[in-house]
């Protein structure tokens, strides 16, 4: 069981803005950077956000990350059907980095 | 172009040993940590451990310490994940990935395609 807590599921309709949270003890999220990964079924994860709010080249600016205190969030604006995927946060867990439990995003 | 190419799917019996590989190209192998991530069927991602190819400095997540061994062969820019005695609970997809930044703050920017390991009697 991960020390990083994510909601197991989230949903939205096309065009909506959706946020996915990632929370944990102060020794991880508050004191380290947070990254976000996107994974489609049957494929390897892909880096979506690094250093709390930086987007790698090629990631649409519809995706944004933020962090405040012991919580971080991934926001997806202008939701599209192709955003339906699993999303994972990652941060320091005290001994090494760790992933959150993951959030399955459904586009209704 | 950074590429991580993993070895093919494996089927083993409980108690058997196994080593899977991750061949790296497109950058200097010794300058970035390589990590391994487990994904059990229908489950989330688990950070197993990381290895620094320059000096083989290795860090394991507590859940995997003593269960697996990470290693590298710098001469062929390949990282390995090894089990000495597999369990049925080791059945999973395993990914290798390149870590950018420190082991404390870094992120996986490039991933292998995954190696499916099935352990069944």
């Amino acid at each position: 069981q991960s020390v990083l807590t994510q909601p197991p599921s989230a949903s939205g309709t096309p065009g909506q803005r959706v946020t996915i949270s990632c929370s944990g003890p102060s020794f991880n999220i508050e004191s380290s950077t947070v990254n976000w990964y996107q994974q489609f079924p049957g494929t390897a994860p892909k880096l979506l956000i690094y250093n709390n709010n930086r987007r790698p080249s090629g990631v649409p600016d519809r995706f944004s990350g933020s962090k405040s205190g012991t919580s971080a969030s991934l926001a997806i604006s202008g939701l599209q059907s192709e955003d339906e995927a699993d999303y994972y946060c990652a941060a320091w867990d005290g001994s090494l980095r760790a992933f959150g439990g993951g959030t399955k995003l459904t586009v209704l | 172009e950074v590429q991580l190419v993993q070895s093919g799917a494996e089927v083993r019996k409980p108690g058997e040993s196994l080593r899977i590989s991750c061949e790296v190209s497109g950058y200097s192998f010794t300058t970035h940590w390589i990590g391994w991530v487990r994904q059990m069927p229908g489950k989330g991602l688990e950070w197993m451990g990381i290895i620094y190819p320059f000096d083989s400095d290795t860090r394991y997540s507590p859940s995997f310490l003593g269960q697996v061994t990470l290693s590298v062969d710098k001469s062929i820019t390949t990282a390995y994940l090894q089990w000495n005695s597999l369990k049925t609970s080791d059945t999973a997809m395993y990914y290798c990935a390149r870590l950018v930044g420190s082991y404390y703050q870094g992120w996986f920017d490039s991933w292998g395609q995954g190696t499916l390991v099935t352990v069944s009697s």
Side-chain angles (χ1 to χ4, degrees):
Chain A
Q1 185 133 356
S2 176
V3 296
L4 301 175
T5 301
Q6 296 182 235
S9 63
S11 63
T13 55
Q16 263 191 333
R17 183 176 187 270
V18 170
T19 61
I20 296 172
S21 63
C22 174
S23 62
S26 60
F27 66 81
N28 46 30
I29 291 189
E30 194 165 37
S31 60
S32 82
T33 60
V34 177
N35 310 317
W36 290 91
Y37 299 88
Q38 177 190 56
Q39 186 183 32
F40 297 106
T43 69
K46 169 191 164 185
L47 179 67
L48 207 58
I49 298 288
Y50 67 99
N51 278 357
N52 304 322
N53 55 18
R54 303 296 300 273
R55 278 187 311 276
S57 172
V59 173
D61 60 6
R62 303 186 294 104
F63 294 90
S64 62
S66 63
K67 188 183 84 166
S68 178
T70 60
S71 183
S73 292
L74 173 70
I76 309 171
S77 59
L79 194 64
Q80 299 180 4
S81 58
E82 55 260 38
D83 298 332
E84 187 162 291
D86 295 324
Y87 293 85
Y88 297 88
C89 63
W92 180 253
D93 80 342
S95 60
L96 203 59
R97 290 188 69 85
F99 294 102
T103 297
K104 183 176 184 58
L105 175 63
T106 301
V107 181
L108 302 170
Chain B
E1 179 194 5
V2 175
Q3 285 194 313
L4 294 86
V5 179
Q6 298 185 230
S7 50
E10 302 276 4
V11 180
R12 291 286 189 278
K13 294 183 180 342
E16 292 186 340
S17 62
L18 175 65
R19 188 177 76 168
I20 63 174
S21 65
C22 172
E23 183 177 357
V24 163
S25 62
Y27 73 96
S28 178
F29 182 57
T30 57
T31 59
H32 290 78
W33 295 83
I34 293 286
W36 289 90
V37 175
R38 182 175 78 175
Q39 188 166 39
M40 299 175 75
K43 302 298 184 184
L45 305 177
E46 297 175 90
W47 196 295
M48 300 177 69
I50 52 174
I51 184 166
Y52 193 59
F54 177 78
D55 58 5
S56 292
D57 184 8
T58 309
R59 314 291 173 104
Y60 294 96
S61 293
S63 299
F64 294 95
L65 183 62
Q67 307 304 307
V68 298
T69 303
L70 305 187
S71 62
V72 297
D73 185 335
K74 290 188 285 187
S75 68
I76 54 172
T77 64
T78 298
Y80 299 99
L81 171 62
Q82 179 177 331
W83 295 261
N84 288 333
S85 180
L86 286 159
K87 308 178 186 65
T88 56
S89 56
D90 292 318
T91 294
M93 181 70 82
Y94 293 87
Y95 295 101
C96 64
R98 183 180 80 159
L99 189 75
V100 174
S102 69
Y103 73 90
Y104 177 80
Q105 301 280 29
W107 56 92
F108 289 135
D109 74 329
S110 299
W111 294 70
Q113 82 277 21
T115 296
L116 180 63
V117 173
T118 303
V119 184
S120 174
S121 54

